[in-house]
Amino acid sequence: MTTLSKIQKWGLLLFVFLLPWQTHYLVKSVTLAGGVSEYLSIKLFGIDLLLGALALLAVFHGETVIQEMRARALPLLGLLVFAFFSIVWADDALAAMMGFVRLTEGTLLVFTVLRTRVSVTELLSALVLAGAVQGAFALVQFIAQSSFESAWLGLALHDPSVPGTAVIETLTGRWLRAYGAFTHPNVLGGFLALAFVAAAGLCIQERRRVARVLFGIALVFITSGLLVSFSRASWLAAAIGFAVLAGWIVSRRSSPLFQTQTESRVHRYQFMTTSLIIIIILALFTTAFGDLLSPRLSMSGRIETRSIIERSDFTRDAFDLIRTRWATGVGVANITPAMYAKVDSTRKVYAYQPPHNLFILVFTELGIAGLLMMIFLFINLFLERAPKQGSALPLASLLVLVLLVLSFFDHYFWTIPQAILLF
């Protein structure tokens, strides 16, 4: 491997590790309904610069990957084409242009990964390491019930006593949900759900003892961080991913993963050990903080009820827009300006939010063609990453499954720059 190839590889792994951090330069604050809109404000992130450098290296030094690009090229390019033309009819052309730029960045990242000599296991290892750091950071935030502010790291101050902070209300008071380095606990939870499945899979399939122990330690922090995010959708996605992983292991004893009885015993032992780690953490957390789990799981209480009502309102607003613009959509990244202009202009800025469903959001912004392209993209990802006959653990397919589950419950894979790149 040449020096440039090594720079490409380690630069890409560094990009994955740094993805959660929000270090940015605020280019322009954009207002909506008299307040600053986080969805519309223009920011230049540190990882944008790193991705640009890696993309340039991939263009001039990468390997030919036209064959590998075919599976994803059509739906990705389709989404880009519709996003580009939607600038013409969008209410906020600047927001649409920035939305197009963010989607272009995601496509560049796919191109860069496929032009870099890096294995899936190495990428997943970087994801697990990033998840472990975020999990530990989230655990500290939850224990301290506060988070510090840092412009250099892109961190905001979160105080559970301040209205607007994501909290859980119980008889004992307001409890801060951990944010990690992300903008919301749900985004942290989604990231950790992906890292959780990756860490569990690597713990099970790893043959080197030291690496297996390190992945196990990472899994402890990732699971803990996932729990203190109190993100129900992320819990569900992680549980489904791990259940499918368990089912795969139980049903595939004839695969190369279990070529001999010795290997079969070893991997069953590693699966049982991994499961035991998760069960112990769940038991300890439930014992210590069962009163916090109750309102989240039962969806009762003032905050939970308000959240359900608000999500229903956002979805209703989206369908109001779809009924009038189902063919073309309102324009990429234009859901909130369209809500203000065409649905209700009397709300506060924080009351204009996208529907918490990726497919409804894409339908609203890019119309029926954009929705079909998004569905086609997921189908292609599943087919491309589907395990072949006799293959080992299907970790890539499981991560796509986790992404799909999360997409039905939130919008951040389309609206938040770091999550767009993760998607």
Side-chain angles (χ1 to χ4, degrees):
M1 184 180 288
T2 65
T3 301
L4 280 179
S5 295
K6 291 179 180 178
I7 292 174
Q8 276 184 281
K9 172 184 172 179
W10 289 104
L12 184 58
L13 295 177
L14 178 64
F15 176 87
V16 174
F17 176 75
L18 294 177
L19 192 57
W21 299 96
Q22 308 286 310
T23 302
H24 66 272
Y25 171 73
L26 181 60
V27 178
K28 182 181 180 181
S29 292
V30 179
T31 60
L32 181 71
V36 176
S37 171
E38 286 298 317
Y39 296 109
L40 300 177
S41 295
I42 302 173
K43 301 174 183 178
L44 177 64
F45 290 85
I47 57 171
D48 293 337
L49 302 178
L50 179 56
L51 177 58
L54 292 172
L56 284 175
L57 274 177
V59 169
F60 294 107
H61 187 261
E63 299 178 355
T64 303
V65 291
I66 299 302
Q67 186 67 31
E68 290 86 344
M69 284 290 288
R70 285 179 183 173
R72 268 176 275 187
L74 183 58
L76 277 176
L77 291 177
L79 284 171
L80 281 178
V81 169
F82 285 116
F84 176 76
F85 283 108
S86 73
I87 297 173
V88 176
W89 55 77
D91 289 333
D92 189 331
L94 179 60
M97 283 189 285
M98 290 308 303
F100 172 74
V101 168
R102 290 300 175 191
L103 289 179
T104 303
E105 276 190 296
T107 306
L108 277 178
L109 179 57
V110 173
F111 172 78
T112 302
V113 171
L114 295 175
R115 295 271 289 178
T116 303
R117 290 186 180 181
V118 62
S119 69
V120 173
T121 299
E122 288 171 331
L123 288 171
L124 292 180
S125 298
L127 174 65
V128 169
L129 179 59
V133 172
Q134 291 302 312
F137 187 28
L139 199 56
V140 170
Q141 288 178 337
F142 179 71
I143 293 172
Q145 281 297 290
S146 180
S147 65
F148 66 91
E149 185 177 14
S150 172
W152 287 102
L153 296 176
L155 300 176
L157 178 66
H158 301 295
D159 185 341
S161 64
V162 176
T165 303
V167 299
I168 298 171
E169 280 188 341
T170 68
L171 295 177
T172 59
R174 291 164 58 91
W175 289 75
L176 177 71
R177 294 172 58 193
Y179 282 71
F182 291 94
T183 56
H184 194 276
N186 289 345
V187 190
L188 168 68
F191 181 79
L192 292 182
L194 291 165
F196 171 83
V197 173
L202 292 174
C203 279
I204 294 167
Q205 77 174 16
E206 182 57 58
R207 288 170 167 79
R208 296 168 297 175
R209 182 179 180 83
V210 173
R212 194 163 64 245
V213 169
L214 292 176
F215 286 134
I217 295 172
L219 182 62
V220 171
F221 287 110
I222 291 169
T223 306
S224 301
L226 179 59
L227 288 171
V228 298
S229 73
F230 289 93
S231 171
R232 290 181 297 246
S234 302
W235 291 348
L236 177 63
I240 291 175
F242 188 76
V244 174
L245 176 62
W248 175 267
I249 290 171
V250 171
S251 64
R252 301 291 290 185
R253 295 184 183 181
S254 61
S255 76
L257 187 65
F258 304 108
Q259 287 179 349
T260 66
Q261 289 186 353
T262 300
E263 285 191 355
S264 178
R265 286 194 298 269
V266 168
H267 286 94
R268 284 201 299 270
Y269 169 76
Q270 290 173 194
F271 169 68
M272 292 171 62
T273 303
T274 302
S275 301
L276 183 61
I277 292 173
I278 297 170
I279 291 171
I280 290 174
I281 296 173
L282 288 174
L284 291 173
F285 187 81
T286 302
T287 302
F289 302 107
D291 59 327
L292 301 183
L293 290 172
S294 179
R296 291 298 288 172
L297 296 177
S298 64
M299 293 187 288
S300 61
R302 183 183 65 87
I303 291 180
E304 307 301 324
T305 302
R306 186 183 67 188
S307 175
I308 294 171
I309 293 173
E310 288 177 346
R311 288 189 176 217
S312 299
D313 290 342
F314 300 147
T315 301
R316 185 195 62 230
D317 292 344
F319 277 109
D320 286 344
L321 294 172
I322 288 171
R323 275 191 285 270
T324 58
R325 302 284 289 274
W326 65 270
T328 61
V330 298
V332 64
N334 261 249
I335 182 72
T336 51
M339 284 179 174
Y340 175 77
K342 296 179 170 61
V343 178
D344 185 355
S345 61
T346 63
R347 305 175 188 170
K348 300 292 186 181
V349 63
Y350 57 78
Y352 296 101
Q353 292 189 34
H356 286 63
N357 182 297
L358 174 66
F359 299 98
I360 295 175
L361 175 56
V362 173
F363 193 5
T364 308
E365 292 192 344
L366 297 183
I368 186 65
L371 173 62
L372 292 176
M373 283 296 173
M374 179 58 71
I375 294 172
F376 187 28
L377 175 60
F378 267 103
I379 292 173
N380 271 4
L381 285 173
F382 271 116
L383 293 177
E384 181 186 355
R385 293 301 181 186
K388 308 301 187 292
Q389 181 67 28
S391 64
L393 294 180
L395 291 183
S397 294
L398 290 176
L399 295 186
V400 175
L401 176 61
V402 172
L403 282 171
L404 178 61
V405 174
L406 292 170
S407 297
F408 281 106
F409 296 98
D410 224 313
H411 56 72
Y412 48 77
F413 289 124
W414 189 258
T415 56
I416 296 178
Q418 282 77 7
I420 293 173
L421 296 175
L422 183 63
F423 178 76

